[in-house]
Amino acid sequence: MNTINVRMEIPGPRSLQALQKQLRQESTAVSYPKRLPISLEAGKGCYVQDVDGNVFIDFLSGAGSLPLGHSHPELVGEVIEQADKLCIGLDFPTPAKESFIDAHLSMLPEEIRNAYLIHFCGPTGADAVEAAIKLAKVATGADEIISFRGGYHGCTNGALSLTGNRAMKKNVLGKMPGVHFFPFGSTSTSAASAVLNSNQIDAALLLESALEDANSGLGNVAAIVLELVQGEGGVYIADKGFIERVYQLARKFGILLIVDEIQTGCGRTGTWYAFEQYGIEPDIFVTSKGTSGIGLPCALMFYKKSLAPWPAGSHIGTFRGNQFAFIAGSKAIDVINRDAILHNVCERSEQIRVRLAELQHDFALLGEIRCLGLMIGVEILNPVTGKACDVTASKIQKRALRRGLIAELGGRDDTVLRMLPPLNVSPQCVNEALNVLERVLFEQTNAIEEIH
Ligand SMILES: Cc1ncc(COP(=O)(O)O)c(C=O)c1O
């Protein structure tokens, strides 16, 4: 399984059968297979095989949870060995957990390594966000939260309340009160999407004026919550100046800064954590997708020791002691260090950016390209209007699948083609994926021309 091999229309017969069965048996809220209609059988590295034997490049990577690709052999070896020893350990210390903690702390910049405590959360990212909200409220005695337009923080009640996507929240009554949304200061200058961009607005000034204004309607703000790259929101990269000012405002007004590194963490942006690139020290940060390296659930909250202690049992959950995730996660960090994989992230990011820029030159379907490390987003445009276009984006995603590339959509109305390759992706695999994209853009351009 080391090259694309798609021999039939997608879905193939066995996938179709599985998808039909899924429709009968599973919740109507099933999501990915509606856009990517395949049934998965196996994965190895950057490639995944469906039940019909078709092989695809997988640049969805378990929604970013496979930093070393599918079933990395060294991580699998560790997991198999662990299975015979101990599977779950609640929040007791165990050898696997101890080495995992040491490895995770070693990822922090030296000067702040001793400043944080780690809280093991229920295994999803959303639970880590819940823990962060709760801790911020307990530590400050305040209860309001500032969040940002375009942000995504998960589907539990508090996390959803902080999320920008209005369609996801529609008809969900009883969301967490006291959340205020502000525009996100990003590096984007795109005029194609509905996002306010940094040419149009000084996002930090708006936030500052609300915090200064006695009549702004804000109550007691416990925390500012943000992503440094809004992943699901369409790969909007936070502007450095914006983050510096938000950081200063948080300090000035005694508000805690919570950085959601669930998607950006564990090397995805080229540094272990994205906040390192912004020169800030969050009061709290959360991470989960990349922690085990192999897609096993494990969510972490790091918080400053200086925050008031919260009592035993303040945020518990049965599945916080996944020994497989711990043992695989420690090994993943060893492998990333040993194989200089963060360096690879930067090199492949540049390879992708350059090639996408060439494609953007050749195809009017491509708008702004946004990359930080291996978080990659490309605006898909209607070539006639020059506006972001969900219909074209969906067609490109489907055509890419048919040609052997799994990519995701995100952003406003799903108009951004997103790619989250494994961090150890090879230059050859990147090339193969972008050759597919080029072919697909060519086909889609011709299809549009035929219509006109
Ligand atoms: C930035 C961010 N926060 C939170 C979450 C929620 O994580 P989970 O799906 O594991 O609950 C996600 C998931 O995509 C995310 O990207």
Side-chain angles (χ1 to χ4, degrees), residues 84-165:
D84 243 3
K85 292 185 194 155
L86 183 71
C87 300
I88 185 158
L90 300 174
D91 61 3
F92 293 104
T94 68
K97 189 178 189 183
E98 230 176 89
S99 63
F100 179 77
I101 290 177
D102 290 343
H104 264 274
L105 289 175
S106 80
M107 288 156 63
L108 298 182
E110 209 173 330
E111 59 285 6
I112 61 169
R113 200 165 288 163
N114 291 320
Y116 290 92
L117 293 174
I118 300 183
H119 184 98
F120 285 77
C121 302
T124 65
D127 189 66
V129 172
E130 297 294 338
I133 299 168
K134 194 189 287 179
L135 174 59
K137 290 182 178 177
V138 170
T140 59
D143 66 348
E144 298 200 351
I145 311 274
I146 287 171
S147 192
F148 292 91
R149 285 159 67 165
Y152 179 73
H153 299 285
C155 275
T156 51
N157 196 50
L160 184 66
S161 304
L162 302 177
T163 290
N165 187 328

Side-chain angles (χ1 to χ4, degrees), residues 63 123-127 129 152-155 227 232 260 262-263 288-289:
T124 65
D127 189 66
V129 172
Y152 179 73
H153 299 285
C155 275
E227 296 157 273
E232 306 302 302
D260 180 342
I262 283 165
Q263 195 158 144
S288 68
K289 286 182 189 277

Side-chain angles (χ1 to χ4, degrees), residues 190 192-193 231 234-236 352-353 355-357 359-361 363-371 375-381 388-389 392-394 396 405 407-412 414-419 434 437 441:
S190 168
S193 67
V235 195
Y236 284 94
I352 292 170
R353 200 192 54 72
R355 181 78 187 275
L356 286 174
L359 294 179
Q360 185 194 41
H361 182 262
F363 295 100
L365 294 168
L366 295 193
E368 191 171 69
I369 296 158
R370 299 186 285 270
C371 307
M375 283 181 83
I376 295 138
V378 192
E379 268 180 347
I380 302 297
L381 308 180
C389 181
T392 312
S394 168
I396 287 176
L405 171 65
E408 175 54 322
L409 297 179
R412 269 67 171 183
D414 285 335
T415 52
V416 176
L417 190 74
R418 298 189 55 211
M419 293 183 278
L434 292 176
L437 187 59
L441 292 169

